[in-house]
Amino acid sequence: MKVYILYGSATGNAEYIAKDLAASINNASSSADALPFTSADCMEMNHFKRKKLLETWSSPPDPSPTPSQIQNKHAVIAICSTTGNGDAPENASRFLRFLKKPPPPAAGASSSSPPLHRVAFAVLGLGDTNYDQFCASGKAIDRKLAEWGGTRAVPLACADEATGLE
């Protein structure tokens, strides 16, 4: 099962975490370690249109090699920092603006299906509690992915630059 890891990073922290996670998954897939993911595709959040992710995620995932591992959702991990006064990093701003629009109907699904009904997601927000809008971008992405029909695999995690994981 492939996992899509999207990152938005102003200083490189979210990018480093995302790329390190992707490398760990891709390296483990070639070893005997059993992971739920066979590969990871890591990219900036703003590349979602170029990579046609919405089209990919609106169709059923490819079945796994063995019937016991057949998945029915695409796996997505979003890692995003917050800059300034609650702003998304430049390489995530288009993605977040897109998610803030009303969701379009899902391609190839019934008109009542939300566009991300085939997505299971997890979000890690990075921020600093010295700012009023702590992890605002991560919180917004988490909320919008759910509003667009995604299934939250784990609760939102927020990491504070000064104190660690919230």
Side-chain angles (χ1 to χ4, degrees), residues 142-163:
D142 182 75
R143 184 178 65 253
K144 291 312 234 175
L145 289 174
E147 287 177 13
W148 278 51
T151 301
R152 191 176 284 112
V154 295
L156 167 71
C158 293
D160 186 348
E161 183 176 14
T163 62

Side-chain angles (χ1 to χ4, degrees), residues 14-158:
E15 179 179 3
Y16 174 80
I17 292 168
K19 288 182 175 179
D20 187 54
L21 177 60
S24 296
I25 291 167
N26 288 329
N27 291 338
S29 68
S30 62
S31 71
D33 296 335
L35 289 178
F37 306 118
T38 56
S39 66
D41 195 358
C42 184
M43 68 195 77
E44 292 181 1
M45 288 183 173
N46 283 349
H47 290 177
F48 76 103
K49 278 191 176 178
R50 181 182 320 154
K51 299 284 188 171
K52 300 183 184 209
L53 293 181
L54 289 180
E55 293 88 344
T56 300
W57 296 340
S58 64
S59 58
D62 292 332
S64 297
T66 60
S68 64
Q69 296 176 340
I70 294 176
Q71 79 243 14
N72 58 7
K73 301 222 182 242
H74 296 277
V76 176
I77 299 172
I79 302 169
C80 191
S81 62
T82 298
T83 65
N85 192 24
D87 301 321
E90 188 175 321
N91 62 1
S93 60
R94 283 191 307 255
F95 179 70
L96 190 51
R97 274 196 312 271
F98 183 81
L99 285 179
K100 287 182 176 179
K101 296 177 184 176
S110 70
S111 61
S112 64
S113 294
L116 298 182
H117 73 283
R118 296 182 195 268
V119 170
F121 69 90
V123 177
L124 171 61
L126 305 179
D128 186 331
T129 51
N130 292 317
Y131 293 90
D132 292 335
Q133 301 295 321
F134 175 64
C135 289
S137 296
K139 290 174 181 177
I141 291 166
D142 182 75
R143 184 178 65 253
K144 291 312 234 175
L145 289 174
E147 287 177 13
W148 278 51
T151 301
R152 191 176 284 112
V154 295
L156 167 71
C158 293

